[in-house]
Amino acid sequence: MDPAVHKRFLDYRERHEYFGRKVKVLSYDEFAPLDAEHRELARIGEEDRDDEEEARFVELSKGLFRD
């Protein structure tokens, strides 16, 4: 388990308690690939993402409580 991903997972769990009470909480195994995808889209940057990537970035940001 990558310590940085684990910390982001714990942050996600904490935010889920406040913002996501009506949404199923993700397990670490579900969280890790979504986190990696979000980080990759963030790395690309807003100006370089196409419309589809931007929509996915927004969706992931909301689902991971990073918006």
Side-chain angles (χ1 to χ4, degrees):
M1 182 177 299
D2 181 315
V5 175
H6 187 253
K7 174 160 182 3
R8 288 191 299 275
F9 176 66
L10 294 177
D11 291 343
Y12 157 78
R13 296 282 306 237
E14 186 175 307
R15 287 187 304 269
H16 184 275
E17 287 182 29
Y18 186 77
F19 298 111
R21 292 184 181 184
K22 295 182 181 181
V23 179
K24 177 187 169 266
V25 66
L26 299 173
S27 69
Y28 180 83
D29 291 334
E30 294 167 321
F31 173 84
L34 298 175
D35 177 63
E37 183 180 0
H38 183 270
R39 290 178 49 79
E40 177 60 23
L41 291 170
R43 185 194 65 75
I44 292 170
E46 185 175 350
E47 293 180 11
D48 294 328
R49 288 190 292 260
D50 62 27
D51 291 342
E52 191 174 298
E53 290 170 330
E54 183 61 27
R56 181 64 176 157
F57 182 76
V58 169
E59 178 183 348
L60 287 168
S61 294
K62 288 180 183 179
L64 298 174
F65 307 111
R66 295 182 183 166
D67 60 337

